[in-house]
Amino acid sequence: MNPSQLSEKFINFVGQTSPYPPTLEVSRGEGSWLVSVDGNRYLDFISGIAVTNVGHCHPHVVTAVQAQAAQYAHTMVYGEHVQTPQVHLAEKIVSVAPAGLDCVYFLTTGAEANDAALKLAAKRLTRRRFIAFTGAYHGDTVGAMSCFGSDHFRNQFSGLLADVTFLPFGDTSAVKQINDTIAAVLVEPVQGEGGIILPPPGYLQLLRDRCTETGAMLIFDEVQTGFGRTGNWFASQTYDVIPDIITMAKGMGAGYPLAGVLAPRQLLYDFAAVPAFSHITTFGGHPVSCAAGLAAMKIIKDEGLLENCRNQGEWLIKALMEVAVQVPQVIRNVRGVGLMIGVETASEQIARSLVDDCRARGLILETNLLQESVIRFSPALNVNRVECETAIRLFADALKAL
Ligand code: PLP
């Protein structure tokens, strides 16, 4: 089948998420590179949006997946049978987690993990109100979408959604709206889809203190920031603030579907009691995904990828700032932490045309869901300096051609 026929069938038979998919026809992935069906090579600087943290098809991940797939894939719904890769991965995650978060409830997607965390908080406190933030994205299930900090998306589903009050992210004066009617505060430590927005110094600690005062639970959505993206296993460690619950997905499965709620063991027992089975899932903690996740954690440790993430991230931010000062009318701001970097351009049109031109030149970048003027750079944590230099050169070329 020739490439254009493939894309035509993709449009006709595969349900679409938007009217304008980029239709890159992928043949294979290798490290930080994607190769298209027609043989072109693309430097992947988004990693499937912070998913392939150890690159595409790392040989140790491939071996682990093949071995597990040959052993068993599914034997029983989550939580019933003892599945070795699940047990080892949970133990490994707990060993690098912030103190007190000592048990993992496995799920499959980030949205599902956030739903589970909201349910846990509501159940423990018998409170039904939540706090979330403008510019937040937590996923598209009904529960997670209740906390979507965008009227544009949420308004389509009013009536279905939970009782959520939205605070401006980073506004310290609004924090007093967290009171003793609130079950939980759900927050991304660094807003991803909102445009790579970093928390102001002390802000996450302020949320922590206010939650402790009012008894509300603090949930960090680390679906995007987790598994090394900010230069530590969790952003909670980067900002030195320990929440009551961390939700995880994306990089957790190294490209395979996997998510989880990381919380104190006692709290997670609420799902197993009164009533038993109050949060069940068939595919949670799929053994093949857990084997991949376990291999990825070993790679991150053995190959020093947390340090590499910090080093390459610092270099990239500096290089992007040097590019930015030459075009102040095009680039307004460069910001980021680790390898979670945003370049704010002057308009959505500029960002879109830069992303499209970069793709034509062989560099994959993307804008953010809620801030389409911001271009994200989130390469794999094992990206090397030559690849970073190549990305900067291609981006600078696209800027010159604007
Ligand atoms: N939370 C954050 C911070 C995200 O960035 C995303 C996805 O982009 C989600 C939750 C939803 O995850 P999933 O697409 O796996 O449901």
Side-chain angles (χ1 to χ4, degrees), residues 8-37:
E8 207 178 300
K9 289 190 183 213
F10 168 72
I11 300 289
N12 286 336
F13 296 119
V14 179
Q16 298 294 309
T17 55
S18 81
Y20 33 80
T23 61
L24 177 74
E25 297 175 349
V26 181
S27 162
R28 62 178 194 282
E30 302 161 352
S32 289
W33 296 84
L34 284 175
V35 183
S36 65
V37 167

Side-chain angles (χ1 to χ4, degrees), residues 3 16 85 99 107 164 194 222 241 289 303 307-308 312 369 394 401:
Q16 298 294 309
L107 297 143
V164 178
E222 295 233 28
V241 174
S289 302
E303 297 183 9
E307 198 189 352
N308 191 60
Q312 306 298 353
L369 185 63
L394 294 172

Side-chain angles (χ1 to χ4, degrees), residues 80-199:
E80 299 288 315
H81 291 173
V82 181
Q83 303 184 340
T84 312
Q86 215 176 61
V87 177
H88 289 328
L89 180 58
E91 187 182 20
K92 187 81 203 156
I93 291 172
V94 168
S95 77
V96 301
L101 304 183
D102 59 359
C103 196
V104 180
Y105 198 97
F106 284 104
L107 297 143
T108 311
T109 68
E112 204 190 349
N114 285 322
D115 279 7
L118 295 174
K119 275 174 72 177
L120 265 180
K123 196 170 169 202
R124 188 184 73 105
L125 295 170
T126 57
R127 299 177 187 175
R128 292 291 178 267
R129 297 187 55 225
F130 300 96
I131 295 280
F133 296 85
T134 48
Y137 180 65
H138 299 289
D140 279 325
T141 53
V142 172
M145 196 171 204
S146 304
C147 300
F148 198 157
S150 155
D151 295 342
H152 170 73
F153 286 100
R154 236 182 29 256
N155 285 348
Q156 312 293 323
F157 303 96
S158 57
L160 281 178
L161 305 178
D163 183 358
V164 178
T165 301
F166 290 89
L167 307 185
F169 183 71
D171 178 349
T172 51
S173 64
V175 168
K176 58 180 176 308
Q177 289 185 54
I178 302 168
N179 58 37
D180 63 9
T181 68
I182 300 298
V185 174
L186 176 60
V187 65
E188 295 160 88
V190 178
Q191 285 193 330
E193 299 312 310
I196 317 293
I197 310 292
L198 306 180

